[in-house]
Amino acid sequence: MALKEKYEKFAQGMVIHNNATEAARYAGYTANSSHALANTGFRLKNLPEIQDRIKELEENLETNVDVITEIEKQYEYAKVNGHTNSAIKALELLSRVRGSKSDKEIDMSPEGIKQHIIECHKILGKKFWEDVGKECEFTLQK
């Protein structure tokens, strides 16, 4: 049985956005507040016929894009060009796609923590740390 047009659009929006509020907006639903739109999205997401359609769409979803490689490219570009927020967002996405490490998997030895701090510094870049130093009123000794 085919879904109503807005239900179909909502299911497609769920596959694209993975967010019920955004899917409701994508499907053309409107509300007086973002809270009301979120409620609409929540209600629709829980309808059995929509859940079935989302599952069907996800099972048939095909892509020829290597998502991890594309996100890694975006991260490298952002890092090289000093786009700190974009670099952090790309790392968050990579973390979700790959599955982030739990605290038990992180090397908590002094050397492991030092290495993690160094990696964070490299991501954020020299200008970021110069600005932080200025805000903290650190002075460089010559």
Side-chain angles (χ1 to χ4, degrees):
M1 181 175 108
L3 294 178
K4 291 192 259 182
E5 187 177 337
K6 273 192 166 182
Y7 282 14
E8 176 65 25
K9 192 89 168 154
F10 177 82
Q12 292 171 3
M14 280 299 298
V15 173
I16 293 168
H17 299 287
N18 198 29
N19 178 293
T21 304
E22 288 303 313
R25 187 174 287 118
Y26 177 82
Y29 289 92
T30 57
N32 294 332
S33 70
S34 59
H35 181 70
L37 193 60
N39 284 340
T40 299
F42 179 80
R43 182 182 55 78
L44 292 169
K45 182 179 82 166
N46 289 307
L47 292 175
E49 61 268 30
I50 290 180
Q51 289 178 350
D52 291 344
R53 181 63 178 144
I54 291 169
K55 185 177 178 183
E56 181 183 347
L57 287 168
E58 288 174 340
E59 287 172 354
N60 294 320
L61 186 64
E62 290 183 27
T63 181
N64 58 359
V65 175
D66 180 356
V67 175
I68 292 175
T69 301
E70 289 301 317
I71 296 172
E72 287 172 342
K73 286 180 189 175
Q74 290 297 319
Y75 165 70
E76 287 301 322
Y77 176 84
K79 186 172 96 171
V80 167
N81 291 289
H83 300 285
T84 305
N85 289 339
S86 296
I88 291 170
K89 184 63 177 175
L91 287 175
E92 288 173 2
L93 290 171
L94 283 170
S95 174
R96 283 191 212 146
V97 170
R98 292 180 174 161
S100 59
K101 294 181 177 181
S102 70
D103 289 340
K104 294 177 183 174
E105 295 177 56
I106 296 173
D107 182 357
M108 296 303 287
S109 70
E111 188 57 38
I113 293 171
K114 178 182 173 184
Q115 188 59 41
H116 184 69
I117 291 170
I118 290 169
E119 290 170 11
C120 290
H121 277 69
K122 288 179 181 177
I123 292 167
L124 295 171
K126 182 178 179 180
K127 178 157 180 20
F128 174 85
W129 292 108
E130 288 172 350
D131 292 345
V132 168
K134 287 177 188 173
E135 289 180 31
C136 294
E137 299 177 2
F138 291 160
T139 58
L140 295 175
Q141 305 236 344
K142 296 181 182 182

